[in-house]
Amino acid sequence: MAESSEGEEEGKLVGGDQQLVVDDDLCEMAKKAAWSVSSCKPGNGVLSLRDDNLDTYWQSDGAQPHLVNIQFQKKVKLQLVVLYVDFKLDESYTPSKISIRAGDGFHNLKEIKAIELVKPAGWVYISLSGNDPRETFVNTFMLQIAILSNHLNGRDTHVRQIKVYGPRPNPIPHQAFQFTSREFITYSTVR
Amino acid sequence: MEAILTECAQNSLRHFMYRNAIFMCERLCAEFPSETNSQLLAVCYLQNNQAYSAYHILKGNHMAHSRYLFAQSCFKMDLLNEAEAALCPPNESSAEIPNGAAGHYLLGLIYRCTDRRKSAIYHFNQALSLDPLLWAAYEELCILGAAEEAATVFGDAASLCIQKQHLPHGLGSKSMQASAEDQGLISSRNVGAEDLSPRHLKNIHGNSQRDAAGNYHSAPQPGGTGSQPLNGGPTTLSFYSTPSPMAAASQLSGVAPPPICRNMQINGPNSCATGADSSPRSTVNSTIQAPRRKFVDEGKLRKVSGRLFADSAPRRSIRLATGDSVANTNSNVSTVSGNGTNHSSKYLGGSKIATGSVRPVTGRKGQSWSNENFDEGIKHDGYDDSRNSSTTCSSPSSESRSLDQEGPTSAAGVCLSGSRVAVGASDLLALLRILGEGYRLSCGYRCQDALDVYVKLPQKQYNTGWVLSQVGKAYFEMVDYVEADHAFNLARLASPYSLEGMDVYSTVLYHLKEDMKLSYLAQELISTDRLAPQSWCAMGNCYSLQKDHETALKNFQRAVQLDSRFAYAHTLCGHEYVALEDFENGIKSYQSALRVDTRHYNAWYGLGMVYLRQEKFEFSEHHFRMAFQINPRSSVIMSYLGTALHALKRNKEALEIMEKAIMADKKNPLPLYQKANILVTVENFDGALEVLEELKEYAPRESSVYALMGRIYKRRDMYDKAMLHFGLALDMKPSATDVATIKAAIEKLHVPDEIEDNL
């Protein structure tokens, strides 16, 4: 499960995983979020991005950049975005340059990550963390995934699935740090 | 023809051939419509799990026994209002509750299910006073938190009562599952009695008169629920079955309006025969008399066709019982059976203790109260028999506890039996006292005391499924999961097919993070009984351990569907909803759990946690306090109560509670940690550091301890130490969020007094 190797400055991502593997302390954050897309072909709409079915895909139908907007009900900490795209199946529909933006709403989105995919085939992991340990998470109301260009200069794009991950909340509420040792965890809850 | 049909139907019931029984009963009712016959038909349907049919047949009948059966059917169909109305008609508040103790018990259950706690308690107490061996009623009282000390309930008064009744009544276990067993047991009891009777008859000519007399005498006995006509009496081999023997006895008396009072419930009536026994120990004799009388009369009754129905019922049941050892139900029954054994053995006199009668054996196996009765009956029989030939006596089952007195045995004469009853009764009560006290203490969450009490049990009784799982539960409540695991393991070895307490066992394994064992347990339980809520609870726990909360939730919901009166399933659903962050549904689930059982402190705790997470601290404190009131010894609850108080800024109280929590359980590090947190808030840094140092010793690999120490040192401007501790905290591999927080803290180390975002 080698993660796709990341290029140096530009952030090129090559390849992709067939299996989706994320850390245990991450959990999917966007189940209750509002998802929307800038355009879509009938029958290949935004639902296909969230249906856990890799055979269905979203197909855009307009001008670039194609946007996927994810709006949360409250500010959430996000750490990882995972896309499933496949060059072999989608060829010129496969996204190439992707920009990830975050902010409070449409009016103040700011780019937090720019990435270029090179012939991806599977799950592609895009980490949102900065270099600073203080920037492990992005705390935001809204996330926008913008597809700026496609492989082979295709106009429209196919994306088969998108998942967004953030840290699992502390199972013990009102607690600064999470417990790690067995002794603490055993006594920390009543079931 | 009526007699034949009745006999046939009862025979079929005895042998579990329900279709035949139903068919025959229908013919019977068509040909000779009478309330008695429709009762028999209703019984057939109830046995066959067709409560709805019984409901329609019995609707509107007013005989006491019919009302009881009708209430049973309503209860099974969840029509609690009608059940209540049947047992306790609103217009006639002074009407007698049909079937004595069993009726009171059923009524108590209805009140409990409809949240009328006081009435429920009143009725359970009544049931117990009418029949001191109705363990299920005592259990319910413990669960409601209103049980008296076992010593008083199962004390001398009870002993006298039993002796009078001589045939203690069968037990209705709480769970419907047990009911079948009960029935079987009761039947076995009856059968036993029945079987013996013929023999008796042969030998006891002389007694018959006495018996008869006795019958009459006994009539007035126990609370005379004279209201029940003989016919009504019979056999309710219903779930909370009342002992048929009683019925049998009453029927036997046939002659007399017998003591059918309270038929089922109190064997008493018959037994109470004051018997004109001539033997010296008349009192004792009387007890013995009863059974004998019973048998004798039974014989007579046989000739009296009219009674056949009533008559045969018990007989049938007895035969049934004999037929197969019902038993092997774990749980309470086991204990009883132990006693039963004693009794029988005693009776059969030391010498003649042959393995003999299946009946006693079955009775024992049945392990229900019925055994008790059964044995008693048998004793008598046996007694007589032994005179002639040993036969029955099933001494088997593990040696009787107090076999010692046996000695005399034999054909000494009726009087001996009498004393045996007394001895038997007192032994049984002694056993019940221990178990009752243990159960009451563990329901009150005084777990260490409960454990001490259970240890007093004799080895045989201790090594039974029920007792061991109670021990396991006690350890679980004390948060000693390793011991609990051990106890539950033994429980499973002792009774591999018991599901009682297995939901708690699965939670123990969940806490211990033993996923292999847990999945094995879940698989086994499902294959044993797919329709038991405990199996699905175990399965759900398995998935939850693997963090697959959605599947876990589905499993718990299945458990709820299977039995909506199983509080723990609701609570577990609540936990899963909360893990999925669906707080609304979580709250609803916890509230359903509380509706079923207000003393289910896990649900109160769950609600407290939800409100804590939602930062509604007032609510949170209230709920934790409720949980604390129910279980005042749990250090975990205390520490959460303290946390809630801390959040409400009531730091002094919070600290007090934390101290208590620390004292309650030295092994629990959580209150110490929370105490440190509170001390930091009140700026008592030295105190906090001291506590944390102590914690470091206890749990050296706990990153949060070092992290908190790092923070304190930072506040104190001791940057080197702070750095050291933050570094140590990171070494312990905390979660990603914490890594971020700690690293951020390190960066900001030299920035003076910034307000941290957490806490």
Side-chain angles (χ1 to χ4, degrees), chain B residues 557-628:
Chain B
Q557 280 169 336
R558 271 186 210 164
V560 166
Q561 271 179 343
L562 285 169
D563 181 3
S564 57
R565 301 218 185 99
F566 190 57
Y568 198 42
H570 287 283
T571 311
L572 288 169
C573 274
H575 289 318
E576 293 308 312
Y577 275 123
V578 170
L580 291 169
E581 311 230 348
D582 183 353
F583 297 126
E584 239 193 82
N585 278 321
I587 292 179
K588 280 198 204 135
S589 297
Y590 288 132
Q591 284 171 343
S592 323
L594 285 174
R595 236 174 296 150
V596 171
D597 181 4
T598 328
R599 291 190 80 249
H600 192 65
Y601 77 93
N602 308 54
W604 287 110
Y605 160 86
L607 282 169
M609 288 293 269
V610 170
Y611 291 125
L612 193 61
R613 206 182 278 277
Q614 291 179 327
E615 314 229 329
K616 296 183 185 159
F617 298 124
E618 295 275 355
F619 285 0
S620 166
E621 190 257 341
H622 166 75
H623 289 94
F624 282 131
R625 200 169 281 284
M626 294 296 294
F628 173 63

Coordinates of all heavy atoms in Angstrom, one line a residue, chain B residues 557-628:
Chain B
Q557 N -29.8 -3.1 17.2 CA -31.2 -2.8 16.9 C -32.0 -4.1 16.8 O -33.1 -4.3 17.1 CB -31.3 -2.0 15.7 CG -31.1 -0.5 16.0 CD -30.9 0.3 14.7 OE1 -30.6 -0.2 13.7 NE2 -31.2 1.6 14.9
R558 N -31.3 -5.1 16.2 CA -31.9 -6.5 16.2 C -32.3 -7.0 17.6 O -33.3 -7.5 17.8 CB -31.0 -7.5 15.5 CG -31.2 -7.5 14.0 CD -30.4 -8.6 13.4 NE -30.0 -8.2 12.1 CZ -29.0 -8.8 11.4 NH1 -28.3 -9.8 11.9 NH2 -28.7 -8.4 10.2
A559 N -31.3 -6.8 18.4 CA -31.5 -7.3 19.8 C -32.8 -6.5 20.4 O -33.6 -7.2 21.1 CB -30.3 -7.0 20.7
V560 N -32.9 -5.3 20.1 CA -34.0 -4.5 20.6 C -35.3 -5.0 20.0 O -36.3 -5.2 20.7 CB -33.9 -3.0 20.3 CG1 -35.2 -2.3 20.5 CG2 -32.8 -2.4 21.1
Q561 N -35.3 -5.4 18.7 CA -36.5 -5.9 18.1 C -36.9 -7.2 18.7 O -38.1 -7.5 18.9 CB -36.2 -6.1 16.6 CG -36.5 -5.0 15.8 CD -36.2 -5.3 14.3 OE1 -35.5 -6.2 14.0 NE2 -36.7 -4.5 13.5
L562 N -35.9 -8.0 19.1 CA -36.2 -9.3 19.6 C -36.9 -9.2 21.0 O -37.7 -10.0 21.4 CB -35.0 -10.2 19.7 CG -34.5 -10.7 18.4 CD1 -33.1 -11.3 18.5 CD2 -35.5 -11.7 17.9
D563 N -36.4 -8.2 21.8 CA -37.0 -8.1 23.1 C -36.9 -6.6 23.5 O -35.8 -6.2 23.9 CB -36.2 -9.0 24.1 CG -36.8 -8.9 25.5 OD1 -37.8 -8.2 25.7 OD2 -36.3 -9.5 26.4
S564 N -38.0 -5.9 23.4 CA -37.9 -4.5 23.7 C -37.8 -4.2 25.1 O -37.7 -3.1 25.5 CB -39.0 -3.8 23.0 OG -40.2 -4.3 23.5
R565 N -38.0 -5.3 26.0 CA -37.9 -5.0 27.4 C -36.5 -5.3 27.9 O -36.3 -5.5 29.1 CB -38.9 -5.9 28.2 CG -40.3 -5.6 27.7 CD -41.3 -5.6 28.8 NE -42.6 -5.4 28.3 CZ -43.5 -6.4 28.1 NH1 -43.1 -7.6 28.4 NH2 -44.6 -6.1 27.6
F566 N -35.5 -5.5 27.0 CA -34.2 -5.8 27.4 C -33.4 -4.5 27.5 O -32.9 -4.0 26.4 CB -33.6 -6.8 26.4 CG -32.3 -7.4 26.8 CD1 -32.2 -8.1 28.0 CD2 -31.2 -7.3 26.0 CE1 -31.0 -8.7 28.3 CE2 -30.0 -7.8 26.3 CZ -29.9 -8.5 27.5
A567 N -33.3 -3.9 28.7 CA -32.7 -2.6 28.8 C -31.3 -2.4 28.2 O -31.0 -1.4 27.5 CB -32.7 -2.1 30.2
Y568 N -30.5 -3.4 28.4 CA -29.1 -3.2 28.0 C -29.0 -3.0 26.5 O -28.1 -2.3 26.0 CB -28.3 -4.4 28.5 CG -26.8 -4.1 28.5 CD1 -26.3 -2.9 28.9 CD2 -25.9 -5.1 28.0 CE1 -24.9 -2.7 28.9 CE2 -24.5 -4.9 28.1 CZ -24.0 -3.7 28.5 OH -22.7 -3.4 28.5
A569 N -29.8 -3.7 25.7 CA -29.8 -3.6 24.3 C -30.0 -2.1 23.9 O -29.3 -1.6 23.0 CB -30.8 -4.5 23.6
H570 N -30.9 -1.5 24.5 CA -31.2 -0.1 24.2 C -30.0 0.8 24.5 O -29.6 1.7 23.8 CB -32.4 0.5 25.0 CG -33.7 0.0 24.6 ND1 -34.3 0.5 23.5 CD2 -34.5 -1.0 25.1 CE1 -35.5 -0.2 23.3 NE2 -35.6 -1.1 24.3
T571 N -29.4 0.5 25.7 CA -28.2 1.3 26.1 C -27.1 1.1 25.1 O -26.4 2.1 24.7 CB -27.7 0.9 27.5 OG1 -28.8 0.8 28.4 CG2 -26.6 1.8 28.0
L572 N -26.9 -0.1 24.6 CA -25.8 -0.3 23.7 C -26.1 0.4 22.4 O -25.2 1.0 21.8 CB -25.6 -1.8 23.5 CG -25.0 -2.6 24.6 CD1 -25.0 -4.1 24.4 CD2 -23.5 -2.1 24.8
C573 N -27.3 0.4 22.0 CA -27.7 1.2 20.8 C -27.3 2.6 21.0 O -26.7 3.3 20.1 CB -29.2 1.2 20.5 SG -29.8 -0.2 19.6
G574 N -27.6 3.1 22.2 CA -27.3 4.5 22.5 C -25.8 4.8 22.3 O -25.4 5.8 21.7
H575 N -25.0 3.9 22.9 CA -23.5 4.1 22.8 C -23.1 4.1 21.3 O -22.2 4.9 21.0 CB -22.8 2.9 23.4 CG -22.9 2.9 24.9 ND1 -22.8 4.0 25.7 CD2 -23.1 1.9 25.8 CE1 -22.9 3.7 27.0 NE2 -23.1 2.4 27.1
E576 N -23.7 3.3 20.5 CA -23.3 3.3 19.1 C -23.7 4.6 18.4 O -22.9 5.1 17.6 CB -23.8 2.1 18.4 CG -23.3 0.8 18.8 CD -21.8 0.7 18.8 OE1 -21.2 1.1 17.8 OE2 -21.2 0.3 19.8
Y577 N -24.9 5.0 18.7 CA -25.3 6.3 18.1 C -24.4 7.4 18.4 O -24.0 8.2 17.6 CB -26.7 6.7 18.5 CG -27.8 6.0 17.7 CD1 -28.8 5.3 18.4 CD2 -27.9 6.2 16.4 CE1 -29.8 4.7 17.7 CE2 -28.9 5.6 15.6 CZ -29.9 4.8 16.3 OH -30.9 4.3 15.6
V578 N -24.0 7.4 19.7 CA -23.1 8.5 20.1 C -21.7 8.3 19.4 O -21.1 9.3 19.0 CB -22.9 8.4 21.7 CG1 -21.7 9.3 22.1 CG2 -24.1 8.8 22.3
A579 N -21.3 7.1 19.2 CA -20.0 6.9 18.5 C -20.1 7.4 17.1 O -19.1 7.9 16.5 CB -19.6 5.4 18.6
L580 N -21.3 7.3 16.5 CA -21.5 7.8 15.2 C -21.9 9.3 15.2 O -22.3 9.8 14.2 CB -22.7 7.0 14.5 CG -22.3 5.6 14.2 CD1 -23.6 4.8 13.8 CD2 -21.3 5.5 13.1
E581 N -21.8 9.9 16.4 CA -22.1 11.3 16.5 C -23.6 11.6 16.3 O -23.9 12.8 16.0 CB -21.2 12.1 15.6 CG -19.8 11.8 15.8 CD -18.9 12.9 16.0 OE1 -19.3 14.1 15.8 OE2 -17.7 12.7 16.3
D582 N -24.5 10.6 16.3 CA -25.9 10.9 16.1 C -26.5 11.1 17.5 O -27.1 10.2 18.1 CB -26.5 9.8 15.4 CG -28.0 10.0 15.1 OD1 -28.5 11.0 15.6 OD2 -28.6 9.2 14.4
F583 N -26.4 12.3 18.1 CA -26.7 12.4 19.5 C -28.2 12.3 19.8 O -28.6 11.8 20.8 CB -26.2 13.8 20.0 CG -24.7 13.8 20.0 CD1 -24.0 14.9 19.4 CD2 -23.9 12.8 20.5 CE1 -22.7 14.9 19.3 CE2 -22.5 12.8 20.5 CZ -21.9 13.9 19.9
E584 N -29.0 12.8 18.8 CA -30.4 12.7 19.0 C -30.9 11.3 19.2 O -31.6 11.0 20.2 CB -31.1 13.4 17.8 CG -31.9 14.5 18.2 CD -32.8 14.9 17.0 OE1 -33.9 14.2 16.9 OE2 -32.4 15.8 16.3
N585 N -30.5 10.5 18.3 CA -31.0 9.1 18.4 C -30.3 8.4 19.6 O -30.9 7.6 20.3 CB -30.6 8.3 17.2 CG -31.6 8.5 16.1 OD1 -32.8 8.6 16.4 ND2 -31.2 8.7 14.9
G586 N -29.1 8.8 19.9 CA -28.5 8.3 21.1 C -29.3 8.6 22.4 O -29.6 7.7 23.2
I587 N -29.7 9.8 22.5 CA -30.5 10.2 23.6 C -31.8 9.4 23.7 O -32.2 8.9 24.7 CB -30.8 11.7 23.6 CG1 -29.5 12.5 23.8 CG2 -31.8 12.1 24.7 CD1 -29.7 14.0 23.8
K588 N -32.4 9.3 22.5 CA -33.7 8.5 22.5 C -33.5 7.1 22.9 O -34.3 6.5 23.7 CB -34.2 8.5 21.0 CG -34.9 9.7 20.6 CD -35.8 9.4 19.4 CE -36.0 10.7 18.6 NZ -35.9 10.6 17.2
S589 N -32.4 6.5 22.5 CA -32.1 5.1 22.9 C -31.9 5.0 24.4 O -32.4 4.1 25.1 CB -30.9 4.5 22.2 OG -31.1 4.5 20.8
Y590 N -31.1 5.9 24.9 CA -30.9 5.9 26.4 C -32.2 6.0 27.1 O -32.4 5.4 28.1 CB -29.9 7.0 26.8 CG -28.5 6.7 26.4 CD1 -27.7 7.7 25.8 CD2 -27.8 5.5 26.6 CE1 -26.4 7.5 25.4 CE2 -26.5 5.3 26.2 CZ -25.8 6.3 25.6 OH -24.5 6.1 25.2
Q591 N -33.0 6.9 26.6 CA -34.3 7.1 27.3 C -35.2 5.9 27.2 O -35.9 5.6 28.2 CB -35.0 8.4 26.8 CG -34.3 9.6 27.3 CD -34.8 10.9 26.6 OE1 -35.4 10.8 25.6 NE2 -34.5 12.0 27.3
S592 N -35.1 5.2 26.1 CA -35.9 3.9 26.1 C -35.4 3.0 27.1 O -36.2 2.3 27.7 CB -35.8 3.3 24.7 OG -35.8 4.2 23.7
A593 N -34.1 2.9 27.2 CA -33.5 2.0 28.2 C -34.0 2.3 29.6 O -34.4 1.5 30.4 CB -32.0 2.0 28.2
L594 N -34.1 3.6 29.9 CA -34.5 4.0 31.2 C -36.0 3.8 31.4 O -36.4 3.5 32.5 CB -34.2 5.5 31.4 CG -32.7 5.8 31.6 CD1 -32.4 7.2 31.7 CD2 -32.3 5.1 32.9
R595 N -36.7 3.8 30.3 CA -38.1 3.5 30.4 C -38.3 2.1 30.9 O -39.2 1.7 31.6 CB -38.9 3.7 29.1 CG -40.0 4.7 29.3 CD -40.6 5.1 28.0 NE -39.7 5.8 27.1 CZ -39.7 5.7 25.8 NH1 -40.5 5.0 25.2 NH2 -38.7 6.3 25.1
V596 N -37.5 1.2 30.4 CA -37.6 -0.2 30.7 C -37.2 -0.4 32.1 O -37.8 -1.1 32.9 CB -36.8 -1.1 29.8 CG1 -36.7 -2.5 30.3 CG2 -37.3 -1.0 28.4
D597 N -36.0 0.2 32.5 CA -35.5 -0.1 33.8 C -34.8 1.2 34.3 O -33.8 1.6 33.9 CB -34.4 -1.2 33.7 CG -33.8 -1.5 35.0 OD1 -34.2 -0.9 36.1 OD2 -32.9 -2.3 35.1
T598 N -35.5 1.8 35.3 CA -35.0 3.1 35.7 C -33.7 3.0 36.5 O -33.0 4.0 36.6 CB -36.0 3.7 36.7 OG1 -37.3 3.3 36.4 CG2 -35.9 5.2 36.7
R599 N -33.4 1.8 36.9 CA -32.2 1.7 37.7 C -31.0 1.2 36.8 O -30.0 0.7 37.3 CB -32.4 0.7 38.9 CG -33.3 1.3 39.9 CD -33.4 0.5 41.2 NE -32.3 0.7 42.0 CZ -31.3 -0.1 42.3 NH1 -31.3 -1.3 41.7 NH2 -30.3 0.2 43.1
H600 N -31.1 1.4 35.5 CA -30.1 1.0 34.7 C -29.1 2.1 34.6 O -29.2 3.0 33.7 CB -30.7 0.7 33.3 CG -29.7 0.0 32.4 ND1 -29.2 -1.3 32.6 CD2 -29.2 0.3 31.2 CE1 -28.4 -1.7 31.7 NE2 -28.4 -0.7 30.8
Y601 N -28.1 2.1 35.4 CA -27.3 3.3 35.6 C -26.4 3.6 34.3 O -26.0 4.7 34.1 CB -26.4 3.2 36.8 CG -25.2 2.3 36.7 CD1 -24.0 2.9 36.3 CD2 -25.2 1.0 37.0 CE1 -22.8 2.1 36.2 CE2 -24.1 0.2 36.8 CZ -22.9 0.7 36.4 OH -21.8 -0.1 36.3
N602 N -26.2 2.5 33.5 CA -25.4 2.8 32.3 C -26.1 3.8 31.4 O -25.4 4.6 30.7 CB -25.3 1.5 31.5 CG -24.7 0.3 32.3 OD1 -25.3 0.0 33.3 ND2 -23.7 -0.3 31.8
A603 N -27.4 3.7 31.4 CA -28.2 4.6 30.5 C -28.0 6.1 31.1 O -27.9 7.0 30.3 CB -29.6 4.2 30.4
W604 N -28.1 6.2 32.4 CA -28.0 7.6 32.9 C -26.6 8.1 32.6 O -26.4 9.2 32.2 CB -28.1 7.5 34.5 CG -29.5 7.3 34.9 CD1 -30.0 6.2 35.5 CD2 -30.6 8.3 34.9 NE1 -31.3 6.4 35.8 CE2 -31.7 7.6 35.5 CE3 -30.7 9.6 34.4 CZ2 -32.9 8.3 35.6 CZ3 -31.9 10.2 34.5 CH2 -33.0 9.6 35.1
Y605 N -25.6 7.2 32.7 CA -24.2 7.6 32.4 C -24.1 8.0 30.9 O -23.5 9.0 30.6 CB -23.3 6.4 32.7 CG -22.0 6.5 32.0 CD1 -20.9 7.2 32.5 CD2 -21.8 5.9 30.7 CE1 -19.7 7.2 31.9 CE2 -20.6 5.9 30.1 CZ -19.5 6.6 30.6 OH -18.4 6.7 30.0
G606 N -24.7 7.2 30.1 CA -24.7 7.5 28.6 C -25.3 8.9 28.4 O -24.7 9.7 27.6
L607 N -26.4 9.2 29.0 CA -27.0 10.5 28.8 C -26.1 11.6 29.3 O -25.9 12.7 28.6 CB -28.3 10.6 29.5 CG -29.5 9.9 28.8 CD1 -30.7 9.8 29.7 CD2 -29.9 10.7 27.5
G608 N -25.5 11.4 30.4 CA -24.5 12.3 31.0 C -23.4 12.6 30.0 O -23.0 13.8 29.8
M609 N -22.9 11.6 29.4 CA -21.8 11.7 28.5 C -22.2 12.6 27.3 O -21.5 13.4 26.8 CB -21.3 10.4 28.0 CG -20.5 9.6 29.0 SD -19.0 10.4 29.4 CE -17.9 9.6 28.3
V610 N -23.4 12.3 26.8 CA -23.9 13.0 25.6 C -23.9 14.5 25.9 O -23.5 15.3 25.1 CB -25.3 12.5 25.1 CG1 -25.9 13.4 24.1 CG2 -25.2 11.1 24.6
Y611 N -24.6 14.8 27.0 CA -24.7 16.2 27.4 C -23.3 16.8 27.6 O -23.1 18.0 27.4 CB -25.6 16.4 28.6 CG -27.0 16.1 28.2 CD1 -27.8 15.1 28.9 CD2 -27.7 16.7 27.2 CE1 -29.1 14.8 28.6 CE2 -29.0 16.4 26.8 CZ -29.7 15.5 27.6 OH -31.0 15.2 27.2
L612 N -22.4 16.0 28.2 CA -21.0 16.6 28.4 C -20.4 17.0 27.1 O -19.8 18.0 26.9 CB -20.2 15.5 29.1 CG -18.9 15.9 29.7 CD1 -19.1 17.0 30.7 CD2 -18.2 14.7 30.3
R613 N -20.6 16.1 26.1 CA -20.1 16.4 24.8 C -20.7 17.6 24.1 O -20.1 18.4 23.5 CB -20.3 15.1 23.9 CG -19.3 15.0 22.8 CD -19.6 13.8 21.9 NE -19.2 12.6 22.5 CZ -17.9 12.2 22.4 NH1 -17.0 12.8 21.7 NH2 -17.5 11.0 22.9
Q614 N -22.0 17.7 24.4 CA -22.7 18.8 23.8 C -22.6 20.1 24.7 O -23.2 21.1 24.4 CB -24.2 18.5 23.7 CG -24.5 17.5 22.7 CD -26.0 17.2 22.6 OE1 -26.7 17.3 23.6 NE2 -26.5 16.9 21.4
E615 N -21.8 20.0 25.7 CA -21.5 21.1 26.6 C -22.7 21.6 27.4 O -22.7 22.8 27.8 CB -20.8 22.2 25.8 CG -19.7 21.7 24.9 CD -18.4 22.5 25.0 OE1 -18.5 23.7 25.2 OE2 -17.4 21.9 24.7
K616 N -23.7 20.7 27.5 CA -24.8 21.1 28.4 C -24.5 20.6 29.8 O -25.0 19.6 30.2 CB -26.1 20.5 27.9 CG -26.4 21.0 26.5 CD -27.7 20.4 26.0 CE -28.0 20.8 24.6 NZ -29.0 19.9 23.9
F617 N -23.7 21.3 30.5 CA -23.1 20.8 31.7 C -24.1 20.6 32.8 O -23.9 19.7 33.6 CB -21.9 21.7 32.2 CG -20.8 21.7 31.1 CD1 -20.4 23.0 30.7 CD2 -20.2 20.6 30.7 CE1 -19.3 23.0 29.7 CE2 -19.2 20.6 29.7 CZ -18.8 21.9 29.2
E618 N -25.1 21.4 32.9 CA -26.1 21.2 33.9 C -26.8 19.9 33.8 O -26.9 19.1 34.7 CB -27.1 22.3 33.8 CG -26.6 23.7 34.1 CD -26.6 24.0 35.6 OE1 -27.1 23.2 36.4 OE2 -26.1 25.1 36.0
F619 N -27.2 19.6 32.6 CA -27.9 18.3 32.3 C -26.9 17.2 32.6 O -27.3 16.2 33.2 CB -28.3 18.2 30.9 CG -29.5 19.1 30.5 CD1 -30.1 19.8 31.5 CD2 -30.0 19.1 29.2 CE1 -31.2 20.6 31.2 CE2 -31.1 19.8 28.9 CZ -31.7 20.6 29.9
S620 N -25.7 17.4 32.2 CA -24.7 16.3 32.3 C -24.6 16.0 33.8 O -24.6 14.8 34.2 CB -23.4 16.8 31.7 OG -22.4 16.0 32.1
E621 N -24.4 17.1 34.6 CA -24.2 16.8 36.0 C -25.4 16.1 36.6 O -25.3 15.2 37.4 CB -24.0 18.2 36.7 CG -23.6 18.0 38.2 CD -24.7 18.3 39.2 OE1 -25.7 18.9 38.8 OE2 -24.5 17.9 40.3
H622 N -26.6 16.5 36.2 CA -27.8 15.9 36.8 C -27.8 14.4 36.5 O -28.1 13.6 37.3 CB -29.1 16.5 36.2 CG -30.3 15.8 36.4 ND1 -30.9 15.7 37.6 CD2 -31.0 15.0 35.6 CE1 -32.0 15.0 37.5 NE2 -32.1 14.5 36.3
H623 N -27.5 14.1 35.2 CA -27.6 12.6 34.9 C -26.5 11.8 35.5 O -26.7 10.7 36.0 CB -27.5 12.5 33.3 CG -28.8 12.9 32.7 ND1 -28.9 14.2 32.2 CD2 -29.9 12.3 32.4 CE1 -30.2 14.3 31.7 NE2 -30.8 13.2 31.8
F624 N -25.3 12.4 35.6 CA -24.3 11.6 36.3 C -24.7 11.4 37.8 O -24.4 10.4 38.4 CB -22.9 12.4 36.2 CG -22.3 12.2 34.9 CD1 -21.8 13.3 34.2 CD2 -22.1 10.9 34.3 CE1 -21.1 13.1 33.0 CE2 -21.5 10.8 33.1 CZ -21.0 11.9 32.4
R625 N -25.3 12.4 38.3 CA -25.7 12.3 39.7 C -26.7 11.2 39.9 O -26.7 10.4 40.8 CB -26.3 13.6 40.3 CG -26.2 13.7 41.8 CD -26.5 15.1 42.3 NE -25.4 16.0 42.2 CZ -24.3 16.0 43.0 NH1 -24.3 15.1 44.0 NH2 -23.4 16.8 42.8
M626 N -27.7 11.1 38.9 CA -28.6 10.0 39.0 C -27.9 8.7 39.0 O -28.2 7.7 39.7 CB -29.6 10.1 37.9 CG -30.6 11.3 37.8 SD -31.7 11.3 39.2 CE -32.7 9.9 38.9
A627 N -27.0 8.6 38.1 CA -26.2 7.3 37.9 C -25.5 7.0 39.3 O -25.5 5.9 39.7 CB -25.3 7.4 36.8
F628 N -25.0 8.1 39.8 CA -24.2 7.9 41.1 C -25.1 7.5 42.2 O -24.8 6.6 43.0 CB -23.6 9.3 41.4 CG -22.9 9.3 42.7 CD1 -21.8 8.5 43.0 CD2 -23.4 10.1 43.7 CE1 -21.2 8.5 44.2 CE2 -22.7 10.2 45.0 CZ -21.7 9.4 45.2

